[in-house]
Amino acid sequence: MSNALNRSNLSLDNPHDLGNRPSALPTWLQWAMVAVFLGIMALSGVWAITEHWRRATFALGVGVIWLGAVRAVCDSTIVGVLAVRSKRFDVGFSLVLGGLMAWLSASVDALGS
């Protein structure tokens, strides 16, 4: 029975990450890093709801940059649905997209607000 469970767990793993070595970080730290990402996303949402769009966009960009760092050092089983493609692609895409979002939100004129 345990062999069948192991086989079913493998079918849920990210197929792009099957050959990767496990993370050297303890599991609790990996979960804490994911929790920080979720906290940044929640803060960004609160700022968006309260119409602080520059802060929200900047926080979203910083959060996506943080997600790139999380993806680089955490196992895809911990990151879960945030691990979309290969680790290299996810890290690069997150860093570029988050950097562009943070830069764009910081470079837009405040228009007197």
Side-chain angles (χ1 to χ4, degrees), residues 48-91:
I49 289 171
T50 59
E51 298 181 8
H52 293 93
W53 64 270
R54 288 182 68 214
R55 290 181 197 168
T57 307
F58 186 77
L60 192 62
V62 169
V64 173
I65 291 170
W66 178 254
L67 177 62
V70 168
R71 180 70 172 110
V73 298
C74 294
D75 292 326
S76 63
T77 55
I78 301 291
V79 177
V81 298
L82 301 173
V84 179
R85 298 283 181 201
S86 68
K87 187 175 279 197
R88 182 180 298 171
F89 177 83
D90 287 348
V91 169

Side-chain angles (χ1 to χ4, degrees), residues 53-55 57-58 99-110:
W53 64 270
R54 288 182 68 214
R55 290 181 197 168
T57 307
F58 186 77
L100 285 173
M101 289 177 70
W103 173 78
L104 183 63
S105 67
S107 66
V108 171
D109 186 24

Side-chain angles (χ1 to χ4, degrees), residues 4-87:
L5 288 176
N6 289 339
R7 186 176 295 154
S8 68
N9 285 342
L10 287 178
S11 67
L12 296 176
D13 286 344
N14 186 339
H16 302 286
D17 291 344
L18 291 178
N20 290 355
R21 289 179 284 145
S23 176
L25 298 175
T27 304
W28 68 268
L29 183 58
Q30 294 180 50
W31 280 113
M33 293 175 75
V34 171
V36 168
F37 168 73
L38 294 174
I40 294 171
M41 293 296 105
L43 181 63
S44 175
V46 168
W47 278 332
I49 289 171
T50 59
E51 298 181 8
H52 293 93
W53 64 270
R54 288 182 68 214
R55 290 181 197 168
T57 307
F58 186 77
L60 192 62
V62 169
V64 173
I65 291 170
W66 178 254
L67 177 62
V70 168
R71 180 70 172 110
V73 298
C74 294
D75 292 326
S76 63
T77 55
I78 301 291
V79 177
V81 298
L82 301 173
V84 179
R85 298 283 181 201
S86 68
K87 187 175 279 197

